[in-house]
Amino acid sequence: MSNHKIIASNFKTNHTRASTRDYVEALDRGMRDIGYSEEVFLFPPATALDAFETESAIRIGAQNAYPTVKGSFTGEIGLEQLGEFAIETVLIGHSERRHILGESQAFIAKKFAWFKEQGFTIFYCIGEPLEVREAGDEAVRRYLVEQLEGIDTGYEKLVVAYEPVWAIGTGKTATPELIEKTHAVIKRLCDRPLLYGGSVKPSNIEEVLKVPGCDGALIGTASWEVSSMISMLEISEKLKTEN
Ligand code: PEP
């Protein structure tokens, strides 16, 4: 059985068009140097989307898009804009879009259905805020069930990311025990590749990727520096050959 892990980087509102190009070039070189032949997913800001030509399997995805081909949706991008760069991967349900931008589950489900219809690979994020975690396991389970409402959990191009809100960008990573326990709950609800996200970095990625039921990592802060991203890929590659 392949021990390959899925590694993805979410730039959020970081990097320019020029620095993204430099990043992709350096990542392409770095992946070749360490012999990393699997796909790596990058989600740059909308202004930096491009059809980068790389030797390594770097897949570019959109952090967000509106469920439309084109139209009057000020500030949004649709299929026409993504198609210009042959982008077929989108991130949906990230906690910052849920909690800062106020996206409802109904809207998120509508986006999901639309991009599924277009055959996109969908990275779908779920995860509980601190007060829900503190309310206990059953409260967390119920919260995660709600975040899967209206989502076709059998979609073959779906990758799920469990990202506890209290661990995102805070430096506080969930413990391996908590990741394992929560991933087991999610796997019962949705049997798709399941990544962990929340303050993953070079110093902890090994223990995160070793968690039973963890199929990879979605990384924010620690992936913005390309050398740090390459270090994490190297660790993932080493684990693959260890097993
Ligand atoms: C994210 O936003 O998807 C994320 C996991 O961020 P960070 O790694 O910074 O916690």
Side-chain angles (χ1 to χ4, degrees):
M1 204 181 102
S2 160
N3 203 36
H4 159 60
K5 304 288 182 184
I6 300 169
I7 308 291
S9 160
N10 176 11
F11 280 17
K12 311 190 189 193
T13 318
N14 297 282
H15 278 295
T16 61
R17 188 162 186 79
S19 71
T20 299
R21 178 157 294 282
D22 292 346
Y23 184 107
V24 170
E25 279 173 19
L27 183 62
D28 189 18
R29 268 196 312 276
M31 285 170 66
R32 273 180 279 148
D33 290 348
I34 64 171
Y36 196 95
S37 56
E38 310 285 356
E39 288 181 317
V40 170
F41 292 85
L42 291 191
F43 295 90
T47 55
L49 292 176
D50 214 334
F52 299 99
E53 280 188 23
T54 56
E55 277 181 40
S56 309
I58 299 174
R59 305 281 172 253
I60 303 294
Q63 292 175 23
N64 177 50
Y66 200 81
T68 187
V69 174
K70 60 181 183 173
S72 299
F73 304 100
T74 302
E76 297 286 325
I77 56 171
L79 196 65
E80 187 174 85
Q81 288 74 36
L82 298 176
E84 184 176 12
F85 306 119
I87 287 165
E88 294 175 340
T89 302
V90 65
L91 193 63
I92 295 180
H94 191 277
S95 77
E96 285 149 18
R97 296 213 60 89
R98 291 178 187 270
H99 301 295
I100 302 174
L101 283 307
E103 286 191 6
S104 66
Q105 183 59 29
F107 180 55
I108 288 168
K110 185 175 154 185
K111 269 193 201 185
F112 185 98
W114 199 84
F115 282 101
K116 176 192 145 193
E117 192 72 27
Q118 313 310 316
F120 269 52
T121 296
I122 300 176
F123 279 64
Y124 185 72
C125 304
I126 56 177
E128 79 289 353
L130 188 59
E131 64 273 19
V132 175
R133 173 53 65 189
E134 286 174 348
D137 291 346
E138 182 49 22
V140 172
R141 194 192 66 81
R142 278 201 307 269
Y143 194 87
L144 298 174
V145 167
E146 280 171 22
Q147 292 191 315
L148 288 169
E149 220 168 85
I151 302 302
D152 177 1
T153 53
Y155 180 44
E156 69 278 9
K157 290 188 181 173
L158 164 62
V159 176
V160 181
Y162 168 57
E163 302 204 301
V165 180
W166 47 270
I168 296 179
T170 58
K172 240 194 261 173
T173 317
T175 60
E177 294 71 31
L178 189 137
I179 299 172
E180 183 173 356
K181 179 171 80 172
T182 316
H183 273 214
V185 170
I186 298 168
K187 286 267 181 178
R188 278 196 291 275
L189 299 169
C190 175
D191 190 17
R192 295 297 310 153
L194 179 54
L195 317 185
Y196 168 77
S199 298
V200 173
K201 44 187 174 263
S203 60
N204 64 20
I205 193 167
E206 177 161 350
E207 69 173 14
V208 167
L209 295 180
K210 278 182 169 168
V211 170
C214 178
D215 303 312
L218 175 55
I219 311 161
T221 317
S223 68
W224 301 337
E225 188 78 59
V226 72
S227 58
S228 164
M229 180 68 171
I230 294 166
S231 306
M232 292 187 282
L233 294 177
E234 202 167 5
I235 292 166
S236 177
E237 184 66 19
K238 183 193 79 173
L239 291 177
K240 189 170 112 183
T241 50
E242 260 178 21
N243 287 277

